[in-house]
């Protein structure tokens, strides 16, 4: 997909914001994933960061929290005029919720080779189980998103092994 330069700058802007949210999550001991949702006018209407550990909630992924906040903001569960930015390719749970919310465009940073359910491991949006055709763009600020996750996991492994 050919991206026009001004559109790419917009995608970089919102992915940068998602990366900042992911930093907050990582600093709190969560896997560093951040998500933002933009409405059709380009306004930020919702954001989320991983909160599974803090909330003791297996569904408290950045995407789910952002989808809930966006639906509340718009007073409508149909988010078909919205764009979701997330630093890591969504898992099966989040991919299903994104399809159910009828998100117009999903923009993500880095592929998830273990649980990615958009393009990498499986493809929920294009499967027969999907009732919505989701537009997808991956790889926006990919190296920054990858480095953020790798650094967080490396630090976590060092702590788990008693190293500093």
């Amino acid at each position: 997909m050919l991206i026009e330069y001004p559109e790419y700058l917009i995608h970089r802007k919102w992915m940068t914001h998602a990366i900042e949210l992911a930093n907050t999550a990582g600093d709190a001991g969560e896997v560093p994933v951040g998500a933002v949702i933009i409405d059709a006018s380009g306004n930020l209407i919702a954001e989320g960061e991983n909160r599974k550990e803090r909330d003791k909630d297996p569904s408290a992924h950045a995407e789910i929290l952002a989808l809930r906040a966006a639906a509340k903001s718009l007073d409508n569960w149909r988010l078909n005029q919205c764009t979701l930015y997330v630093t890591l390719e969504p898992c099966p749970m989040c991919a299903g919720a994104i399809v159910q919310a009828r998100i117009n465009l999903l923009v993500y940073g880095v592929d998830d080779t273990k649980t990615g359910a958009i393009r990498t491991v499986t493809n929920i949006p294009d499967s027969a189980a999907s009732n919505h055709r989701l537009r997808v763009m991956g790889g926006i600020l990919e190296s920054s998103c990858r480095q953020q996750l790798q650094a967080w996991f490396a630090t976590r492994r060092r702590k788990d092994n008693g190293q500093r």
Side-chain angles (χ1 to χ4, degrees):
M1 167 186 262
L2 182 62
I3 304 172
E4 291 187 30
Y5 192 68
E7 182 182 351
Y8 178 71
L9 292 178
I10 291 167
H11 293 321
R12 284 179 57 95
K13 169 189 172 183
W14 292 116
M15 189 61 71
T16 298
H17 187 72
I19 290 169
E20 291 166 0
L21 292 166
N23 278 332
T24 302
D27 289 346
E30 305 280 353
V31 174
V33 177
V36 297
I37 298 181
I38 310 307
D39 68 12
S41 300
N43 300 309
L44 175 67
I45 60 168
E47 56 187 37
E49 63 190 52
N50 273 359
R51 295 191 56 89
K52 285 172 53 173
E53 299 297 331
R54 289 174 284 176
D55 293 354
K56 311 292 187 259
D57 179 354
S59 69
H61 290 204
E63 303 94 307
I64 299 294
L65 298 174
L67 289 168
R68 289 176 182 159
K72 186 174 262 188
S73 172
L74 296 177
D75 196 28
N76 192 340
W77 64 267
R78 291 175 188 88
L79 304 177
N80 57 343
Q81 298 297 313
C82 296
T83 300
L84 168 62
Y85 293 86
V86 62
T87 56
L88 179 65
E89 179 183 8
C91 71
M93 174 183 69
C94 294
I98 290 164
V99 167
Q100 289 298 314
R102 315 276 197 287
I103 287 287
N104 178 48
L105 173 63
L106 167 66
V107 179
Y108 71 89
V110 66
D111 291 339
D112 183 343
T113 58
K114 292 185 180 182
T115 65
I118 301 298
R119 298 286 184 259
T120 306
V121 177
T122 190
N123 185 332
I124 289 176
D126 294 338
S127 76
S130 178
N131 62 345
H132 170 67
R133 293 298 164 228
L134 174 66
R135 294 174 41 227
V136 176
M137 183 180 304
I140 301 296
L141 295 181
E142 179 178 10
S143 62
S144 296
C145 294
R146 179 180 290 110
Q147 288 170 354
Q148 181 183 47
L149 285 159
Q150 288 175 339
W152 187 85
F153 279 108
T155 299
R156 187 77 167 201
R157 280 190 292 275
R158 281 193 303 275
K159 286 181 183 175
D160 290 346
N161 290 331
Q163 302 171 1
R164 297 233 176 218

